[in-house]
Amino acid sequence: MQLTPQAHIQYVAELAAKRSYNEPEFLQAMHEVLDSLVPVLVEHPEFIEAGVLERLIEPERQIMFRVPWLDDQNKVQVNRGFRVQFNSALGPFKGGLRFHSSVNLSVIKFLGFEQVFKNALTRQRIGGGKGGSDFDPHGKSDEEVMRFCQSFMTELYRYIDEHTDVPAGDIGVGAREIGYLFGQYRRLTGRHESGVLTGKGKGWGGAEVRTEATGYGAVFFAQEMLKRTGEDIEGRRAVVSGSGNVAIYAMEKIAQLGGIPVTASDSSGYVVDERGIDIALLKQIKEVERGRIADYAERRQGAHFVANGSVWDVPAELAFPCATQNELDERGARALLDGGVRIVAEGANMPTTPEAITLFQKSGILFAPGKAANSGGVATSALEMSQNAARDRWDFDHSEARLQAIMRDVHDACYVASERYGRPGDYVLGANTAGFVTVAQAMIEQGVV
Ligand code: NDP
């Protein structure tokens, strides 16, 4: 006898908890999706029959490897490398590489799992994967970063190519690291295979707007949510966390649309700048000098630095968590609500804890989950792959217009799914169900593999 949707979901959750008991981040990401799926399984009992959920929670392949390298003192260092190829039903595995001391298999699996549904939402025909290492680039010389990247790629190159798996950047992996990784791939394979990595330099296959895409996309998504209620970003204050790739370009787009981004942060604390963050200065400190956020307050009159504080204590109508997972907890959510927040759009992956999401939803504010709101990055990576395959190059305006259109479509797909499954405006439900149905249908059509 077939289980009811509720019982089936509980069975799958227990299966995962048993197998992955030491992977809390992965289980958190999995629960967020499973908890949305009852109405879908009621409508599609064939998904239960075909064991779609049991297959979805198990990556197609998980690769772990040793990354030995020599530091500037000629001392041997050893890190651990990961690539989790989660699901390729829609296309080659696609997802970034994260270099951060907190990286472990659980973190990479949560990111890979999210990526499957996010990539489905973009409709760009890409599967989901993620990788990285517990290597921490902070404080390392360029030469050390290069030697690490070369060693990392010396193992990873066996598992990737433009039709199989296409990595990109994430925390700790930007243009510099992608350059070193690509150089080593080219050397090992003897091929200039542009489509094997995205986020490349613009002179050798990189796409316009890829750098800006995740941050810009999150703001475009927020703009679409506001449009539905007849509102706009113009004139509104925004709190943004982080000061990396996603945060900087979220701030840039907020400012271009007439909003006022008043904060930026890193793991040492946050700055408040009531006049609006000076984006050029922030880029100089973070992208060029690779400095700390406290440097910003020292160089900008009127701005102040709060060591180790919570950026969510700063009142604003818009909030964009753009740093890392679980950075916005229930306490932070209460502080944001007290400060009059109207909309929270996740630039980072899973930055909001489940308790904080519940609080936002109960309070009736607009909440955009990362798998929808930050999908502009991977969507533009897919556009980079198209341009590489066609040996073509689009200009900035055309690329940005494509990004904006994709974010509108992702928003609309989430909204329509939220209506269809009974809670209009619940973007968590909408993103999870719309992404899931696309992947599940492809998996059924391709048989039990
Ligand atoms: P960056 O490395 O460019 O920046 C990360 C920022 O977050 C830095 O300011 C960093 O500060 C801060 N941060 C990282 N970890 C912590 C922590 N534990 N506590 C406090 N602050 C922290 O990364 P990205 O901007 O690329 O990525 C940010 C988020 O967006 C991640 O969740 C990533 O997965 C997600 N994302 C990124 C995409 C992209 O295209 N880059 C695409 C989709 C999602 P510090 O320097 O002190 O560590």
Side-chain angles (χ1 to χ4, degrees), residues 82-281:
F82 301 88
R83 186 71 184 167
V84 173
Q85 299 181 327
F86 226 109
N87 193 300
S88 60
L90 298 182
F93 304 104
K94 181 91 196 86
L97 298 172
R98 175 177 292 192
F99 292 169
H100 192 271
S101 50
S102 63
V103 164
N104 56 37
L105 186 61
S106 173
V107 168
I108 299 299
K109 276 183 69 179
F110 116 65
L111 290 164
F113 187 73
E114 290 261 306
Q115 199 80 46
V116 173
F117 306 100
K118 178 188 311 191
N119 293 3
L121 283 171
T122 69
R123 295 171 197 262
Q124 297 295 307
R125 285 185 310 215
I126 38 182
K130 201 84 185 187
S133 173
D134 56 2
F135 172 78
D136 180 3
H138 287 111
K140 304 286 191 303
S141 69
D142 272 0
E143 292 71 24
E144 288 177 322
V145 171
M146 182 176 73
R147 287 194 291 274
F148 173 81
C149 288
Q150 290 174 341
S151 182
F152 186 87
M153 184 53 84
T154 300
E155 182 63 27
L156 184 70
Y157 90 100
R158 303 167 204 281
Y159 310 105
I160 62 175
D161 70 52
E162 62 181 312
H163 302 294
T164 309
D165 185 354
V166 183
D170 189 77
I171 291 180
V173 179
R176 174 182 61 170
E177 290 75 16
I178 293 291
Y180 295 149
L181 290 164
F182 185 80
Q184 184 72 353
Y185 182 84
R186 188 167 61 73
R187 186 178 195 192
L188 287 163
T189 59
R191 289 197 305 268
H192 194 292
E193 184 191 330
S194 301
V196 71
L197 289 172
T198 56
K200 298 179 292 292
K202 287 182 199 158
W204 42 278
E208 292 290 347
V209 187
R210 177 60 191 91
T211 307
E212 295 84 356
T214 309
Y216 278 21
V219 179
F220 287 144
F221 194 95
Q223 199 183 22
E224 291 300 319
M225 292 167 95
L226 282 169
K227 245 190 233 165
R228 282 199 53 78
T229 55
E231 297 168 273
D232 201 353
I233 285 179
E234 195 170 353
R236 293 178 196 270
R237 282 164 61 93
V239 278
V240 180
S241 66
S243 51
N245 173 262
V246 179
I248 288 174
Y249 293 95
M251 289 178 211
E252 184 165 277
K253 186 49 73 181
I254 292 166
Q256 285 173 6
L257 294 173
I260 313 149
V262 291
T263 63
S265 70
D266 64 18
S267 48
S268 62
Y270 68 91
V271 290
V272 185
D273 186 344
E274 293 293 340
R275 286 187 291 161
I277 295 285
D278 178 337
I279 314 283
L281 176 61

